[in-house]
Each structure stands twice: as C-alpha cells, then as structure tokens.
Amino acid sequence: MAREAEASRILIFGGTGYIGKHMVRASVSLGHPTCIYARPAGPATQPSNLNLRREFHSIGVHIIEGELEEHEKIVAALKKVDIVISALAYPQVLDQLKIIDAIIAAGNIKRFVPSDFGCEEDKIKALPPFEEFLEKKRKIRRAIEAAGIPFTFVTANCFATYFVDVLLHPHDPSDEIVVYGNGEVKAVLNYEEDIGKYTIKVANDPRACNRVVTYRPEPSIISQHQLISLWEEKTGRSFKRVYVPEEDLVKFSQTLPPPENIPVSILHSIFVKGDLMSYEIIEDDLEASRMYAEMQLTTVDQVLDIFLTDPPEPARAAFV
C-alpha cells in the first residue's frame, strides 16, 4: 500500500521489554531500519535479555546503550531516525518526559508513540490505585500535545498471553478458576505479536497522525466465562468457578499496600466495570482492524492453542 511504501527509521525505547520486543521484531519484518535504546548490559542483566540482544543483532537491529538521563546521547540518536516508539514499563512512565525533552531538542521527529498500551485513559475513571497510574499517562499525553510533537496515542487494551495466564493459570493443575465480578463483562484480549505489528503500522500511517488508535478487533472481544468455556473445551477439563465480588476487589484496592493494590484495581476496571468496552467506536474513530483489514490476526482461540502446544513462561507486570 502506498502509505507503507517508504521505510521509516524507527527508534524504540524499552525494546527488550515484554511488549517492546514484539515491536522491534515487527519493525524489522516490515522493512524499517530499526534501533533500540537500552540500558547498558552488565552482570545483573538477565540471560533472557542478553539472548534477545543477540537475536536483535542477528536481524540487523542497532542497539544504543545508555540511560534516560543521558540527554545528549538520546538527542544524537533521535537525529538519525524518523519515528520514536516508547514501550517503557509502568515504573518509567514519567521518565518519558526526558524523551519528550530530547525530541524537542532534536527537532526532526515525524511521529512519537508513547508507552500508552492499555485502556483509553481519557475515557475512563478507575479505582484510586489504577487512577493514579492513568493520571501519569495523561500527563505524558498532555505534555506531548503541548510541545506540538506529532503523535499517535495507542489504546491496545489487554495483552492476550499475559491475561490468559492471569485468568486461567494454565500452568496450575488446580480445578478451580477465579472469576472477577459476574464473569459476563466483555474485555479485549489482543495477541502481543499483533499489537507489535499494529503499532509499527500506525506509527507510519498518515491517517493516525495526532490521533488515538484503538485496537479492538471483533475476534479479541471475550468475557471471562467465554474464555473459561473455551479452555474447558480444549483441555477436556471442567473447572469450578470461584467468584470474587466487586466489593472484595474494592476493599482489596483500599487495604493492600502499594503496589499490590494496583493489579486488583486493574482487574476491577477491566472485568467488573467493563471499561475497555464502555464506549462506542464511531465511524470517525480509528480502529486498527478496520484500518488494516488485510492483516491476519491471532484470535483468542488460537492463543489458547499456543498454551496447549508451546506454553509461554508466565510473565508479571512491573509496578515498582
């Protein structure tokens, strides 16, 4: 397609992280010269991270090692690229202000996609621990807008593999599965590789400049009960559903110490309040599966097949 004919030079912050690595692979596969800005490798660097760096080297990714405090180094890196994507984790959300400062100084960036992969924070209000996190993301959005930086804000909703593990605990031999709320609320579970591909596409798409793009393909919309029933069909097992009512999640959000109060607040937002599906996507809104109807997606059903044949290692979100 014409809009993707010219390859852009892309720099990714957080490229060795949970979702960032999928963006790096997608960027390379779509033909973009790709580099990442990563902390220097050292004795404390995990073997999985070192293996990822070796993989990236082998596919032509340029790795720039540095800290987010190294302003001049970041500015120099930015001057050699066209597009910046941040996939920094929760503890580093406000550190993106340093990236914004560097983008302003460099003066050449055509698009910035901040680390905004989750719910649409400008359309929901959550329990206080999660709301505090969303407010940090809003601060980044407003800073980008105020600086006049061309942007694309992404609402990627749930990472499918991560949340299948959280909800079903496929590695656990237990015959019980916890259900949050009544189990009927619909959520949006998008496969991580698809999120990576969508993100590279929207970052290069003129239609997405200074717009919010939501990733809400129909096959990704599912309730907890539907997910559990699918898993029962595939495994031939029957699970006892243990319900955690809304009032318990609210209480946990008030009584658990930080950061343990954040995950329960997120579960409340997604699976009790139904925040991901609480607003309509109208004709003028940008939704990724409508923009790229030709892209073949991995359905929730297929994600469950992955857990049966080649189960991924459980991942945990970093909140500190």
Side-chain angles (χ1 to χ4, degrees):
M1 295 166 64
R3 70 177 68 95
E4 295 175 7
E6 186 177 341
S8 299
R9 299 166 298 172
I10 297 178
L11 172 62
I12 300 175
F13 290 83
T16 60
Y18 180 76
I19 197 65
K21 62 179 179 284
H22 296 291
M23 295 171 190
V24 174
R25 291 167 180 152
S27 181
V28 172
S29 70
L30 291 169
H32 299 287
T34 306
C35 55
I36 66 171
Y37 190 91
R39 286 172 174 161
T45 305
Q46 294 292 322
S48 58
N49 187 294
L50 295 174
N51 289 336
L52 199 56
R53 292 174 191 235
R54 282 191 282 270
E55 175 197 329
F56 288 166
H57 274 302
S58 72
I59 60 175
V61 175
H62 178 51
I63 300 176
I64 303 166
E65 292 191 335
E67 302 290 349
L68 290 173
E69 291 73 24
E70 294 183 81
H71 177 77
E72 295 303 326
K73 179 179 283 189
I74 295 176
V75 170
L78 294 177
K79 286 184 176 180
K80 298 177 183 177
V81 301
D82 306 300
I83 292 171
V84 179
I85 298 172
S86 172
L88 295 177
Y90 166 77
Q92 295 177 287
V93 165
L94 290 182
D95 283 340
Q96 292 179 111
L97 293 170
K98 299 168 186 172
I99 299 174
I100 292 170
D101 287 342
I103 290 174
I104 294 169
N108 64 294
I109 297 303
K110 297 176 182 177
R111 191 81 59 87
F112 178 37
V113 182
S115 187
D116 203 12
F117 306 99
C119 64
E120 179 42 56
E121 61 261 29
D122 285 335
K123 291 189 176 180
I124 73 165
K125 187 170 179 62
L127 293 175
F130 188 27
E131 183 66 21
E132 183 180 340
F133 167 46
L134 296 179
E135 191 55 39
K136 292 178 181 178
K137 293 171 68 178
R138 294 183 192 113
K139 182 175 181 178
I140 296 300
R141 282 190 173 189
R142 303 294 85 83
I144 293 167
E145 292 166 343
I149 297 168
F151 66 83
T152 297
F153 297 150
V154 165
T155 301
N157 294 303
C158 293
F159 300 160
T161 302
Y162 178 87
F163 273 94
V164 163
D165 187 67
V166 167
L167 296 173
L168 300 181
H169 295 286
H171 302 82
D172 190 338
S174 172
D175 289 325
E176 293 185 349
I177 289 181
V178 173
V179 177
Y180 302 99
N182 62 18
E184 301 291 345
V185 172
K186 295 290 181 74
V188 187
L189 274 59
N190 290 314
Y191 189 46
E192 285 83 340
E193 288 185 16
D194 293 340
I195 291 173
K197 292 173 187 174
Y198 273 150
T199 302
I200 300 303
K201 285 178 176 290
V202 300
N204 285 274
D205 195 328
R207 296 173 296 176
C209 187
N210 295 336
R211 297 288 302 275
V212 176
V213 181
T214 301
Y215 301 174
R216 197 198 278 181
E218 196 65 32
S220 297
I221 300 171
I222 194 167
S223 71
Q224 289 176 86
H225 280 324
Q226 290 172 325
L227 184 67
I228 295 167
S229 294
L230 260 179
W231 188 237
E232 288 177 327
E233 290 174 19
K234 289 181 179 295
T235 60
R237 298 170 64 188
S238 180
F239 295 94
K240 178 184 177 182
R241 303 181 190 200
V242 180
Y243 292 84
V244 178
E246 178 176 11
E247 54 265 31
D248 284 2
L249 287 172
V250 173
K251 183 178 179 181
F252 291 147
S253 77
Q254 296 167 342
T255 57
L256 286 173
E260 295 172 38
N261 55 1
I262 299 174
V264 296
S265 303
I266 293 173
L267 292 170
H268 177 270
S269 170
I270 297 171
F271 299 108
V272 177
K273 282 184 64 190
D275 281 334
L276 303 187
M277 296 293 293
S278 64
Y279 57 94
E280 289 187 33
I281 296 178
I282 61 175
E283 187 177 346
D284 290 340
D285 291 334
L286 296 183
E287 194 283 314
S289 66
R290 295 196 311 216
M291 296 171 71
Y292 312 108
E294 76 285 353
M295 184 173 139
Q296 191 168 11
L297 296 172
T298 302
T299 65
V300 175
D301 187 278
Q302 291 168 324
V303 171
L304 294 183
D305 287 338
I306 293 170
F307 274 89
L308 282 176
T309 58
D310 186 20
E313 286 294 317
R316 289 292 173 262
F319 292 107
V320 290

